């Protein structure tokens, strides 16, 4: 049997899978590549495999990577790749790709949806109506205006820049914090996260989870955001000190939150279930047919590019992430 | 100033009530038991000169009849569909509402509801709170909001604010309103069914009146279809509610986000159990900031009325747009204010007139006025300042008044617009080629023609003659001229 990794006319390139593909992805990619589950790979396949595809957020550890000596590329299917051991990838000179901009639009839409839902109490008001309380208890209490709020965005990448544009159209004043300022951006750069929080009414998290950003939203930041401040997270649960978040919300140190991600999904701190100033969502910000089609295109483009020796479409910069 | 007797129809805002009590003589309608209401009104009728109502409770025909001393209705709302306007006009009762201050809130909510409905945010929240999120990956797909075709019913202040927000999501915008507006990027539909058939999200943002009652009919809902979304931040009566409910239930309509209902506070029972609808209890303008601003408008309008000053936000009265706010323009503004006409204006530079609304172009001025008055000097820049675009923006219900110079207006365009009914009417004192007046105008019933008599009174001609003589004398005697034009 051929052991060369290059494709021939009748043998598709080998791609190992960390876990099974979503049925729609499997159907779309069928016939173009030879998919084998990494756990089921025979020694020959493991020795030969150059590409590892990571459906969903399945963890990819140093041990997984160690079993694949010929590995050159890890293809992620999400925007965040914190579930992949990037240190090991960097040390071995592996390339890693993510979903690129495929999820940015829906994530941004959802973030804005959460901002409005928290400030204007949309989910709580919906529950109020469904429980018959409008007739029984009268008008729903006043909420607070979205227009004109000061919005601080953490991470002005594909998602953050789109959130900025959308909220600016609502008349919000937008500032941002990121590793470095974006000179082409019209929004105000704030070098310290604590200052951004202190000067914002709403803080939106849309950055990658790394060693540096883990628990970046801690008690100090939440205190700075304040009793009328609102936190919206469409990044990763790990960006926030979750037990502290629950305490701050419970004690009124923080005004409210809109959360699509959590430290330990699908577990959601039950103390949040009784709070009206919180909107809880099940990590669905990018679960749309449009995003699914988009990420499929990015995955296919990366695989095609790799196997024909062209530049990758959405490589993740490993040297700037996870600095030691 | 003797204290103005104000009848408050329903508890609606604590700050408003407290300030009404402090600044005026407040009478609370709910102080009387419901079955003794007629007597209560009778015994207080002499004192009640003002009524404060809101979206749900307002000055209807019966109430107005019961209050012979009523002078003003100051509504704590922008929509005044529950005020009997005809009766108010008849009795000379002034009406004020609260436009602009709530525009942002309602527009914010409209877009927030659209995202919530499409992306099922409250549904997700219920799902998580019920402890149903057991495994990652058991997702239902919901469709993207960005890029959807958004259609707006009514392109007034609120409709425009919705459009501006939706544009930031790369949505294409289409609309229906009584007349076409000067926004070439927004596609205008004369027919609501066609509008609905060509969009993904339909947002109701027009005022409620006889023409717009049930404007979202069965036919419109059908055109919107099983993938379509209806967002109602107008009034419940804009929509045929039973039709809407059955369409949602049978999934003939994709989804809805509703802030208003035909019989508040009772939304239709069948909606409560549905997963494809977001329901909120008429909270469009219910933020602390906006309610305070609305209350302040009500209080300021009442104070202005009591002190015989111009009302801040009168509802009655045609909107008058003045091109050029010089001496003549300002004199026109002062006069029309006394008729409770809101004044808009355009001129080269914006000045500080807190009661007058500035528009940066004549087309926008025309689009937002019922009567357009030309009162600027004639020069290179103002020749044909009233052109086809401006005439179209003024529209089939608009009226043009020209007391400037004939060449201010593109006369052939004006004539054809009047003949074809594209312009509602005109009052003309000046013409491009006096004393020749286009004959086509003579047979029209909606035009008043006068032969350049703007200053044609004895008194004024005498004063003008005196000025001419005074200027000549000054020149001869080498004294400063009286009225030099620089």
């Amino acid at each position: 049997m051929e052991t060369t990794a290059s494709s021939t006319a009748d043998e598709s390139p080998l791609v190992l899978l960390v876990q099974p593909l979503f049925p729609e992805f499997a159907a779309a990619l069928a016939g173009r590549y030879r998919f084998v589950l990494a756990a089921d790979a025979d020694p020959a396949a493991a020795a030969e495999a150059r590409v590892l595809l990571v459906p969903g957020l399945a963890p990819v550890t140093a041990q997984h990577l160690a079993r694949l000596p010929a590995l050159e590329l890890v293809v992620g299917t999400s925007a965040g790749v914190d579930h992949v051991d990037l240190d090991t990838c960097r040390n071995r000179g592996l390339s890693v790709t993510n979903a690129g901009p495929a999820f940015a639009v829906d994530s941004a839409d959802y973030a804005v949806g959460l901002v409005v839902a928290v400030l204007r109490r949309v989910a709580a008001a919906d529950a109020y109506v469904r429980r018959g309380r409008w007739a029984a208890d009268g008008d729903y209490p006043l909420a607070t205006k979205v227009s004109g709020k000061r919005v601080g965005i953490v991470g002005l990448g594909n998602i953050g820049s789109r959130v900025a544009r959308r909220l600016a159209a609502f008349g919000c004043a937008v500032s941002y914090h990121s590793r470095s300022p974006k000179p082409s951006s019209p929004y105000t750069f704030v070098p310290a996260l604590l200052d951004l929080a202190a000067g914002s009414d709403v803080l939106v998290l849309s950055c990658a989870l790394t060693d540096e950003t883990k628990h970046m939203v801690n008690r100090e930041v939440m205190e700075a955001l304040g009793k009328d401040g609102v936190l919206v997270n469409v990044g990763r649960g790990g960006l926030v000190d979750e037990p502290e978040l629950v305490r701050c919300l419970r004690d009124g140190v923080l005004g409210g939150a809109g959360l699509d991600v959590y430290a330990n999904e699908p577990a959601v701190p039950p103390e949040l279930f009784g709070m009206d100033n919180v909107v809880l969502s099940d990590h669905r910000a990018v679960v749309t047919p449009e995003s699914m089609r988009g990420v499929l295109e990015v995955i296919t483009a990366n695989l095609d590019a790799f196997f024909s020796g062209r530049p990758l479409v959405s490589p993740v910069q490993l040297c700037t992430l996870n600095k030691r | 100033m003797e204290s103005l007797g104000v009848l408050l129809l329903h508890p609606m805002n604590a700050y408003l009530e407290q300030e009404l009590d402090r600044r005026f003589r407040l009478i609370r309608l709910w102080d009387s038991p419901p079955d003794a209401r007629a007597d209560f009104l009778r015994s207080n009728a002499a004192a009640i000169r003002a009524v404060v109502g809101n979206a749900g409770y307002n000055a209807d025909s019966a109430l107005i009849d019961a209050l012979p001393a009523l002078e003003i209705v100051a509504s704590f709302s922008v929509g005044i569909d529950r005020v009997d306007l005809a009766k108010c006009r008849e009795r000379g009762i002034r009406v004020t509402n609260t436009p602009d201050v709530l525009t942002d809130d309602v527009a914010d909510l409209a877009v927030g509801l659209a995202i919530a409905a499409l992306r099922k945010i409250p549904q997700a929240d219920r799902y998580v709170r019920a402890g149903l999120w057991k495994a990652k990956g058991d997702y239902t797909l919901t469709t993207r909001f960005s890029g959807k075709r958004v259609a707006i019913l009514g392109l007034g202040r609120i409709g425009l604010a919705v459009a501006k927000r939706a544009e930031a999501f790369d949505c294409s915008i289409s609309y229906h309103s009584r007349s076409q507006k000067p926004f070439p990027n927004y596609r205008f539909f004369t027919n609501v069914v066609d509008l609905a058939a060509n969009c993904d999200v339909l947002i109701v943002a027009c005022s409620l009146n006889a023409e717009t009652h049930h404007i979202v009919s069965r036919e419109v809902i059908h055109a919107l279809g099983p993938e379509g979304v209806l967002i109602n931040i107008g009034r419940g009566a804009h929509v045929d509610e039973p039709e809407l409910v059955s369409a949602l239930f049978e999934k003939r309509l994709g989804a809805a986000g509703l802030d208003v209902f035909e019989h508040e506070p009772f939304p239709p029972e069948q909606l409560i159990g549905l997963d494809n609808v977001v329901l909120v209890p008429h909270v469009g303008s219910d933020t602390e900031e906006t309610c305070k601003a609305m209350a302040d408008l009500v209080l300021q309008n009442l104070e202005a009325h009591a002190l015989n000053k111009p009302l801040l936000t009168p509802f009655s009265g045609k909107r008058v747009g003045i091109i050029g706010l010089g001496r003549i323009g300002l004199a026109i503004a002062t006069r029309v204010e006394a008729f409770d006409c809101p004044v808009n204006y355009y001129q080269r530079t914006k000045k500080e007139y807190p009661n007058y609304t500035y528009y940066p172009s004549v087309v926008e001025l025309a689009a937002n006025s019922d009567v357009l008055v030309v009162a600027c000097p004639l020069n290179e820049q103002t020749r044909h300042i009233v052109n086809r675009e401006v005439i179209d923006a003024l529209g089939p219900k608009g009226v043009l008044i020209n007391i400037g110079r004939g060449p201010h207006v593109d006369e052939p365009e004006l004539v054809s617009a009047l003949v074809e009914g594209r312009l509602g009417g005109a009052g003309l004192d000046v013409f491009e080629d006096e004393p020749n007046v286009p004959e086509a105008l003579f047979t029209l019933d909606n035009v008043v023609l006068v032969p350049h008599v703007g200053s044609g009174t004895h008194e004024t001609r005498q004063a003008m003659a005196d000025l001419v003589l005074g200027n000549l004398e000054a020149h001869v005697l080498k004294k400063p001229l009286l009225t030099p034009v620089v």
Side-chain angles (χ1 to χ4, degrees):
Chain A
M1 180 172 172
E2 295 261 32
T3 51
T4 172
S6 58
S7 68
T8 63
D10 46 89
E11 192 172 288
S12 322
L14 172 66
V15 175
L16 287 194
L17 296 172
V18 175
Q19 67 182 10
L21 282 165
F22 303 134
E24 304 80 15
F25 284 25
L29 297 168
R32 307 179 57 166
Y33 306 101
R34 189 161 50 99
F35 289 110
V36 173
L37 262 184
D40 297 344
D42 62 23
E48 171 194 335
R50 296 167 67 205
V51 180
L52 182 66
L53 175 58
V54 191
L57 302 177
V60 178
T61 64
Q63 288 89 325
H64 290 127
L65 296 169
R67 289 189 214 121
L68 307 171
L71 192 63
E72 295 173 51
L73 170 65
V74 175
V75 176
T77 59
S78 53
V81 286
D82 46 282
H83 52 292
V84 176
D85 185 333
L86 298 176
D87 283 340
T88 304
C89 291
R90 194 179 64 247
N91 293 337
R92 276 182 58 176
L94 303 180
S95 299
V96 178
T97 59
N98 67 353
F103 290 161
V105 172
D106 286 323
S107 298
D109 287 356
Y110 207 76
V112 176
L114 284 177
V115 170
V116 180
V118 178
L119 287 174
R120 299 296 299 273
R121 298 279 190 270
V122 176
D126 180 281
Y128 188 83
V129 174
R130 282 173 204 264
R131 286 186 201 134
R133 293 187 60 190
W134 194 10
D137 300 337
D139 285 342
Y140 192 77
L142 297 181
T144 183
K145 236 174 132 82
V146 172
S147 288
K149 284 288 185 287
R150 300 165 303 166
V151 173
I153 302 179
V154 183
L156 205 72
N158 284 323
I159 299 173
S161 60
R162 286 172 171 82
V163 173
R165 177 173 167 232
R166 283 150 175 71
L167 286 174
F170 281 71
C172 294
V174 177
S175 313
Y176 69 100
H177 167 75
S178 60
R179 277 169 309 192
S180 54
K182 320 267 166 180
S184 57
S185 160
Y187 311 110
T188 308
F189 173 68
V190 181
L193 175 60
L194 197 57
D195 292 336
L196 184 71
S200 298
D201 304 304
V202 179
L203 195 68
V204 178
L205 305 183
S206 50
C207 60
L209 176 62
T210 65
D211 286 345
E212 285 175 321
T213 63
K214 187 169 160 76
H215 285 199
M216 70 189 320
V217 178
N218 54 20
R219 176 147 189 131
E220 225 193 331
V221 169
M222 288 186 261
E223 277 175 353
L225 195 45
K227 64 176 181 54
D228 293 322
V230 167
L231 177 72
V232 168
N233 192 0
V234 295
R236 283 286 180 269
L239 293 168
V240 179
D241 180 344
E242 199 165 89
E244 199 51 65
L245 171 67
V246 175
R247 275 192 287 275
C248 286
L249 285 166
R250 182 195 63 203
D251 299 338
V253 169
L254 181 63
L259 307 170
D260 190 43
V261 287
Y262 310 85
N264 193 23
E265 297 170 18
V268 175
E271 244 192 292
L272 299 178
F273 295 171
M275 298 181 187
D276 249 13
N277 54 343
V278 173
V279 177
L280 302 169
S281 168
D282 54 340
H283 204 155
R284 65 167 56 191
V286 305
V287 183
T288 67
E290 294 88 348
S291 275
M292 294 301 110
R293 269 197 297 277
V295 76
L296 202 51
E297 279 169 15
V298 170
I299 292 166
T300 312
N302 277 311
L303 290 171
D304 285 348
F306 176 78
F307 286 116
S308 48
R310 285 180 280 114
L312 296 168
V313 163
S314 59
V316 173
Q317 303 301 325
L318 294 180
C319 49
T320 47
L321 284 176
N322 279 354
K323 286 200 286 280
R324 275 271 146 96
Chain B
M1 163 182 101
E2 105 229 22
S3 207
L4 183 74
V6 179
L7 177 69
L8 182 59
L9 298 184
H10 194 75
M12 50 189 77
N13 181 268
Y15 165 73
L16 174 63
E17 192 176 323
Q18 158 199 312
E19 287 300 303
L20 284 171
D21 201 18
R22 201 171 64 77
R23 305 186 207 185
F24 307 105
R25 189 187 143 190
L26 177 62
I27 299 159
R28 298 172 178 81
L29 184 61
W30 63 98
D31 274 349
S32 98
D35 50 353
R37 199 135 290 177
D39 287 327
F40 180 86
L41 285 175
R42 226 186 325 265
S43 53
N44 285 291
I48 295 172
R49 292 165 53 202
V51 162
V52 173
N54 69 354
Y57 300 86
N58 230 322
D60 59 15
S61 179
L63 183 68
I64 295 172
D65 281 339
L67 301 173
L70 185 59
E71 298 164 6
I72 178 169
V73 175
S75 191
F76 183 70
S77 68
V78 69
I80 44 141
D81 40 283
R82 297 223 169 154
V83 175
D84 190 333
L85 285 178
K87 190 142 259 190
C88 286
R89 244 175 253 131
E90 208 185 304
R91 286 260 309 260
I93 297 167
R94 311 165 90 186
V95 178
T96 67
N97 63 345
T98 60
D100 295 324
V101 292
L102 48 61
T103 299
D104 282 338
D105 270 353
V106 177
D108 291 348
L109 185 71
V111 178
L113 278 178
I115 302 174
L118 273 167
R119 302 302 308 278
K120 292 188 156 45
I121 294 179
Q123 295 87 328
D125 183 272
R126 278 202 293 282
Y127 184 73
V128 172
R129 281 172 205 259
L132 295 173
W133 190 26
K134 296 281 193 304
K136 297 200 302 182
D138 47 351
Y139 298 126
T140 37
L141 289 167
T142 58
T143 184
R144 169 176 295 184
F145 173 66
S146 276
K148 284 288 185 285
R149 299 167 300 167
V150 169
I152 306 173
L153 261 177
L155 208 65
R157 286 169 287 238
I158 295 175
L160 270 176
V162 171
K164 172 174 159 233
R165 285 155 178 73
E167 279 186 300
F169 292 78
D170 294 324
C171 293
S172 63
I173 309 292
S174 56
Y175 69 100
H176 167 80
S177 62
R178 274 171 306 192
S179 57
Q180 189 161 9
K181 309 275 171 166
F183 298 104
N185 287 350
Y186 303 163
R187 188 175 168 198
F188 175 64
F189 281 87
T190 49
N191 179 294
V192 185
V193 174
D194 290 340
L195 180 75
N198 286 281
C199 75
D200 303 304
V201 181
L202 178 64
I203 302 182
V204 182
C206 53
S207 57
L208 179 66
N209 51 47
E211 289 93 59
T212 62
H213 179 85
H214 282 199
I215 192 172
V216 180
S217 61
R218 183 187 175 106
E219 231 195 321
V220 169
I221 292 168
H222 178 76
L224 205 38
E227 313 286 318
V229 177
L230 176 71
I231 302 297
N232 193 0
I233 41 98
R235 287 286 181 265
H238 276 127
V239 177
D240 183 339
E241 201 164 84
E243 275 304 329
L244 172 67
V245 172
S246 75
L248 283 167
F249 191 77
E250 294 162 22
K251 307 242 189 305
R252 289 182 285 109
L253 176 65
L258 308 171
D259 186 37
V260 287
F261 307 87
E262 290 212 81
H263 307 288
E264 297 171 15
F266 305 105
E269 270 302 308
Q270 307 94 300
L271 289 183
I272 304 297
L274 289 184
D275 203 44
N276 56 344
V277 65
V278 175
L279 308 165
V280 288
H282 205 151
V283 293
S285 59
D286 279 5
T287 63
E288 296 282 356
E289 299 89 333
T290 290
C291 281
K292 174 154 193 307
M294 288 166 68
D296 284 338
L297 261 185
V298 169
L299 296 161
Q300 284 156 20
N301 274 310
L302 289 173
E303 275 173 349
H305 174 78
L307 296 170
N308 248 317
K309 292 205 173 132
L311 299 174
L312 279 82
T313 51
F315 185 81
S316 48
K318 290 285 185 289
R319 300 163 300 166
V320 174
I322 306 176
I323 305 176
L325 218 55
R327 281 173 288 239
I328 296 177
L330 274 173
I332 295 171
T334 321
R335 281 153 180 73
V336 300
E337 274 188 307
F339 292 79
D340 288 338
C341 291
V343 174
N344 307 320
Y345 72 100
Y346 162 81
Q347 57 180 30
R348 272 165 314 177
T349 50
K350 181 180 176 185
K351 299 254 178 77
E352 260 323 296
Y353 294 115
N355 287 350
Y356 306 155
T357 307
Y358 172 76
Y359 284 92
S361 73
V362 184
V363 173
E364 283 171 80
L365 178 69
N368 288 283
S369 303
D370 304 303
V371 179
L372 186 66
V373 182
V374 184
C376 58
L378 179 65
N379 53 45
E380 289 272 311
Q381 290 85 47
T382 62
R383 189 178 178 279
H384 282 199
I385 197 174
V386 177
N387 56 17
R388 182 177 179 127
E389 220 194 330
V390 170
I391 291 168
D392 280 344
L394 199 42
K397 296 220 164 102
V399 171
L400 176 72
I401 304 298
N402 193 0
I403 43 90
R405 285 285 181 270
H408 274 127
V409 177
D410 181 339
E411 203 162 83
E413 272 305 328
L414 172 66
V415 173
S416 79
L418 284 165
V419 166
E420 292 164 24
R422 289 184 287 109
L423 179 64
L428 307 169
D429 187 37
V430 289
F431 305 88
E432 286 208 88
D433 181 35
E434 297 170 16
N436 299 307
V437 176
E439 295 210 356
L441 295 178
F442 294 168
T443 52
L444 293 181
D445 219 23
N446 55 345
V447 173
V448 176
L449 308 166
V450 288
H452 207 151
V453 295
S455 59
T457 62
H458 295 293
E459 299 87 333
T460 294
R461 291 290 161 89
Q462 166 104 16
M464 285 164 71
D466 287 338
L467 267 181
V468 170
L469 297 163
N471 276 313
L472 289 172
E473 276 173 356
H475 175 73
V476 161
L477 298 170
K478 294 200 181 3
K479 287 194 177 148
L481 296 174
L482 298 172
T483 52
V485 175
V486 174

